[in-house]
Amino acid sequence: MTVPTFSGQFFRDTNWEVEPIYFPVDLYLPIVLVLISSPTAKKTWRVAGELVQVFGTLGELDIEGGSTTLPLNAWKLINFSEIEGQEYYSLKFYPKPWIKSFEVQIKQPA
């Protein structure tokens, strides 16, 4: 069973450089289920962007852990490596430059 951890909608200007989007979550388990969906995406678009595991305080120096490419409009189960001495982690996402709007859903096992 999974528990909703985070859900949000994002809108961006595709004329600007792609900046990472920090998701305001504190995740404790290495397993996470993520969906990036976009109702405006073309049917030929398959990749949403890159998701990166981040340790440290938001806004300070990021310590990056694992990363993975996320599909667009499909759930992906991710098993990040556990880092000894780290109690929790957060996520940042680099969307593909052509995606104007998308919805994010993040879940973890209960």
Side-chain angles (χ1 to χ4, degrees), residues 28-78:
Y28 298 91
L29 301 171
I31 298 171
V32 65
L33 190 61
V34 181
L35 170 67
I36 305 289
S37 59
S38 176
T40 60
K42 295 181 181 179
K43 293 183 188 273
T44 57
W45 297 353
R46 301 283 182 238
V47 176
E50 181 182 17
L51 186 70
V52 180
Q53 181 185 35
V54 180
F55 300 97
T57 306
L58 187 65
E60 294 182 12
L61 181 64
D62 287 346
I63 300 170
E64 294 186 356
S67 68
T68 188
T69 301
L70 293 178
L72 186 60
N73 297 325
W75 286 97
K76 181 164 184 175
L77 182 64
I78 304 161

Side-chain angles (χ1 to χ4, degrees), residues 3-46:
V3 177
T5 305
F6 175 76
S7 181
Q9 292 183 331
F10 294 87
F11 304 91
R12 50 182 297 279
D13 183 344
T14 55
N15 295 323
W16 291 47
E17 183 178 331
V18 175
E19 294 287 328
I21 297 169
Y22 288 84
F23 298 139
V25 295
D26 289 334
L27 302 168
Y28 298 91
L29 301 171
I31 298 171
V32 65
L33 190 61
V34 181
L35 170 67
I36 305 289
S37 59
S38 176
T40 60
K42 295 181 181 179
K43 293 183 188 273
T44 57
W45 297 353
R46 301 283 182 238

